């Protein structure tokens, strides 16, 4: 049958959507191992999750540098030997940290997994935090800090969180240049001792997971307790101290563009309205065809891009609207954002537009969770966010069932102009 290219394909909603759940295996030392058996390539990914991040540190940078320094030397290998061995076996290593977790991720060929995991186990279980390497890493990060300090987007983003949470809150307290000089091996060792042990970690393995791969993980991480398992991570409670200023301006005289961040407290992922609110925020500014993009980019030409989204933190969420524009367009851009909020609060969304948003969100979910490694990302997200295994099913249900009337009601309830703080970094006009 010849394909008629003059007729556009019919747009249909997804009939069925499911995400393969990992197989939970509790190892002998009590550490959970989540196994995602998917993929035909001879590649495997191993993730170690460590509870403890920015929320739990004694001073700025402590969590990030503790995690970052794992690759800089162990009691049996130098940083150069670690890098050389991983390169020899064709492995790739990523170290990162978030508000409340540290992550160690290894990508390896299956045939070399015993060797690469042994290297990783040495990094995690016997790091030495050498002072010479720490000075090098610190200096590199200081230079990056200085570069970022000149970027209006970074200045506006940090100031928005400071204005919402206050300077003494972990989410509003950012490292300053002098904080890099306060990091010492002893400070990192304290954080390591508290957080990096088998009673405070969980693991994920995905890809072509063979019995040998599981055996290696159990041997290196699950056979016996490792680290100081008597330690407990301190989960402090912090109260936000919002700025009472509606507008905060950060002057950068040489800036060619102004960065605009507008934000206010919103719902966290546990709230019953959160999943349908996501549909509203996507329609408002969460994809290329959103209201903000159609008006402020396509129609007005004020910016190349503008977006809105809910950033979720422990116990709260923050609605953030972000854009950059020539300095003379900053004020009209902000006015148009408020105009679109007013429209959503008072007018019913057209069903055709709502269907387009539904199809985009469902399609994006399918694209996001189609491979073994993205499935691992999905379930790591569930664990680190404190969600249950039905979260994805509820997400699909909310996208399919939300109505135009509910969208207007949600906008009226949660899109409040009065609650938004405006942060502008740029040049005065």
């Amino acid at each position: 049958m010849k394909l008629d290219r003059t007729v556009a394909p019919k747009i249909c909603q997804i009939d069925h959507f499911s995400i393969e759940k990992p197989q939970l295996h509790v190892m002998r030392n009590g550490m959970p191992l989540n196994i995602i058996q998917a993929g035909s390539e001879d590649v495997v990914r191993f993730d170690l999750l460590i509870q403890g991040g920015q929320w739990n540190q004694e001073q700025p940078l402590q969590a990030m540098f503790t995690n970052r320094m794992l690759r800089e030397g162990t009691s049996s290998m130098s940083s150069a030997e670690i890098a050389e061995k991983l390169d020899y076996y064709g492995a790739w290593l990523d170290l990162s940290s978030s508000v409340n977790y540290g992550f160690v991720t290894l990508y390896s060929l299956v045939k070399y997994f015993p060797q690469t995991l042994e290297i990783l186990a040495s990094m995690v279980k016997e790091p030495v935090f050498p002072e010479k390497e720490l000075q090098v890493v610190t200096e590199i990060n200081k230079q990056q800090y200085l570069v970022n300090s000149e970027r209006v987007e970074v200045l506006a983003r940090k100031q928005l969180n400071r204005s919402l949470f206050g300077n003494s809150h972990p989410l509003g307290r950012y490292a300053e240049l002098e904080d890099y000089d306060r990091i010492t091996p002893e400070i990192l060792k304290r954080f390591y001792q508290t957080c990096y042990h088998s009673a405070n970690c969980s693991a994920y393995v995905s890809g072509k997971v063979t019995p040998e791969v599981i055996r290696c993980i159990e041997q290196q991480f699950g056979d016996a307790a490792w680290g100081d398992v008597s330690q407990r991570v301190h989960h402090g409670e912090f109260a936000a101290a919002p700025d009472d200023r509606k507008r905060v301006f950060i002057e950068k005289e040489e800036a060619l563009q102004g960065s605009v961040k507008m934000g206010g407290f919103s719902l966290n992922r546990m709230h019953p309205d959160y999943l349908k609110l996501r549909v509203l925020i996507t329609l408002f500014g969460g994809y290329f065809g959103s209201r903000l993009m159609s008006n402020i980019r396509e129609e007005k030409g004020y910016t190349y891009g503008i977006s809105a989204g809910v950033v979720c933190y422990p116990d709260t969420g923050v609605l953030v609207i972000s854009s950059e524009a020539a300095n003379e367009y900053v004020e009209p851009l902000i006015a148009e954002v408020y105009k679109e909020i007013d429209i959503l609060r008072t007018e019913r969304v057209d069903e055709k537009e709502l269907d387009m948003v539904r199809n985009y969100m469902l399609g994006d979910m399918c694209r996001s969770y189609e491979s073994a490694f993205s499935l691992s990302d999905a379930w790591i997200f569930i664990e680190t966010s404190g969600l249950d295994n039905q979260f994805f099913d509820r997400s699909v249900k909310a996208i399919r069932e939300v109505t135009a009337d509910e969208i207007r009601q949600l906008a009226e309830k949660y899109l409040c102009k009065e609650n938004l703080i405006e942060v502008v970094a740029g040049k005065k006009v």
Side-chain angles (χ1 to χ4, degrees):
M1 181 179 175
K2 189 176 179 181
L3 182 65
D4 186 353
R5 298 186 182 277
T6 64
V7 179
K10 186 179 179 182
I11 297 175
C12 301
Q13 276 199 23
I14 297 163
D15 291 329
H16 177 70
F17 180 84
S18 63
I19 297 178
E20 181 181 344
K21 292 180 173 64
Q23 174 191 345
L24 177 61
H25 172 62
V26 179
M27 296 186 285
R28 282 185 288 274
N29 62 2
M31 186 173 145
L33 172 63
N34 297 276
I35 303 165
I36 301 173
Q37 179 65 263
S40 56
E41 302 296 327
D42 291 325
V43 183
V44 68
R45 166 177 157 179
F46 175 76
D47 291 275
L48 186 71
L49 280 60
I50 305 99
Q51 290 190 54
Q54 178 185 345
W55 198 270
N56 316 99
Q57 62 191 6
E58 300 169 357
Q59 65 185 61
L61 303 173
Q62 187 184 24
M64 183 192 80
F65 274 102
T66 301
N67 185 278
R68 170 65 182 79
M69 285 296 295
L70 295 178
R71 71 190 312 157
E72 298 302 326
T74 75
S75 58
S76 58
M77 289 181 291
S78 67
S79 59
E81 288 173 320
I82 292 171
E84 184 180 347
K85 287 182 178 183
L86 290 174
D87 186 57
Y88 175 80
Y89 291 118
W92 187 77
L93 178 69
D94 184 49
L95 302 169
S96 61
S97 59
S98 68
V99 173
N100 51 359
Y101 273 85
F103 303 92
V104 179
T105 301
L106 172 73
Y107 293 86
S108 174
L109 295 171
V110 173
K111 64 179 178 180
Y112 294 134
F113 187 70
Q115 294 91 332
T116 57
L117 192 70
E118 185 178 2
I119 298 167
L120 187 74
S122 178
M123 290 168 44
V124 171
K125 295 161 77 172
E126 50 183 23
V128 293
F129 304 103
E131 189 160 4
K132 182 180 176 181
E133 281 79 0
L134 178 58
Q135 289 175 355
V136 173
V137 172
T138 302
E139 188 59 35
I140 291 171
N141 280 269
K142 281 171 72 175
Q143 294 306 313
Q144 187 61 55
Y145 169 86
L146 292 172
V147 171
N148 286 337
S149 296
E150 298 300 313
R151 295 174 53 205
V152 290
E153 190 278 331
V154 174
L155 294 173
R157 172 166 46 83
K158 289 182 177 180
Q159 182 57 53
L160 179 60
N161 264 28
R162 289 191 186 105
S163 295
L164 287 169
F165 293 99
N167 291 328
S168 61
H169 193 286
L171 300 177
R173 184 173 64 238
Y174 289 93
E176 302 296 342
L177 191 61
E178 58 270 19
D179 289 318
Y180 291 88
D181 297 323
R182 296 173 58 221
I183 292 295
T184 65
E186 289 68 33
I187 287 169
L188 303 187
K189 287 174 184 176
R190 282 208 303 270
F191 190 83
Y192 171 84
Q193 186 178 25
T194 301
C195 300
Y196 287 72
H197 56 80
S198 56
N200 196 50
C201 294
S202 60
Y204 287 74
V205 62
S206 54
K208 197 170 184 179
V209 184
T210 64
E212 174 65 6
V213 165
I214 296 173
R215 186 196 68 79
C216 290
I217 296 171
E218 289 187 315
Q219 178 185 359
Q220 297 292 348
F221 287 99
D223 194 31
W226 50 269
D228 188 353
V229 296
S230 66
Q231 294 283 340
R232 293 291 178 267
V233 178
H234 175 65
H235 298 283
E237 294 185 5
F238 304 92
D243 199 322
D244 57 5
R245 292 175 294 175
K246 176 68 173 176
R247 167 74 62 87
V248 181
F249 182 76
I250 305 168
E251 186 167 4
K252 288 293 288 183
E253 188 61 35
E254 70 282 6
L256 299 176
Q257 287 197 113
S259 178
V260 179
K261 302 285 183 185
M262 304 167 67
F265 291 109
S266 187
L267 308 181
N268 65 24
R269 295 188 182 101
M270 307 297 182
H271 195 283
D273 287 343
Y274 172 77
L275 292 175
K276 289 186 177 181
L277 179 70
R278 281 182 63 227
V279 183
L280 165 63
I281 301 303
T282 302
L283 187 150
F284 176 48
Y287 77 119
F288 196 79
S290 69
R291 294 281 182 93
L292 292 180
M293 284 289 281
S294 298
N295 177 356
I296 298 172
R297 174 196 154 101
E298 301 298 329
E299 184 180 326
K300 300 294 190 306
Y302 292 156
T303 181
Y304 281 113
I306 183 167
S307 63
V310 176
V311 181
C312 290
Y313 298 111
D315 303 327
T316 191
V318 175
L319 170 63
V320 180
I321 301 154
S322 303
S323 187
E324 290 190 14
N327 294 295
E328 62 267 28
Y329 292 140
V330 165
E331 294 301 333
L333 182 149
I334 292 173
E336 289 300 320
V337 170
Y338 287 138
K339 175 184 171 183
E340 291 300 333
I341 289 176
D342 285 337
I343 292 171
L344 284 168
R345 286 169 59 91
T346 56
E347 297 181 13
R348 195 173 185 272
V349 175
D350 181 76
E351 287 293 339
K352 185 177 179 181
E353 182 183 11
L354 184 53
D355 279 341
M356 185 180 296
V357 174
R358 287 195 187 100
N359 290 333
Y360 165 79
M361 294 182 73
L362 292 171
D364 189 55
M365 288 185 72
C366 288
R367 287 190 298 273
S368 298
Y369 308 127
E370 63 185 3
S371 70
F373 297 158
S374 59
L375 284 172
S376 194
D377 287 328
W379 293 108
I380 289 172
F381 161 76
I382 290 294
E383 178 175 339
T384 57
S385 301
L387 299 169
D388 62 70
N389 289 352
Q390 279 67 54
F391 178 79
F392 296 119
D393 294 331
R394 293 198 306 275
S395 297
V396 172
K397 188 172 186 290
I399 293 168
R400 283 178 171 158
E401 295 182 357
V402 66
T403 66
D405 287 331
E406 285 178 309
I407 292 291
R408 190 194 61 76
Q409 291 163 9
L410 289 166
E412 190 174 8
K413 190 172 182 180
Y414 298 115
L415 289 185
C416 301
K417 297 184 294 184
E418 299 75 20
N419 295 338
L420 293 178
I421 293 175
E422 306 161 3
V423 176
V424 178
K427 183 179 179 180
K428 281 187 177 179
V429 292

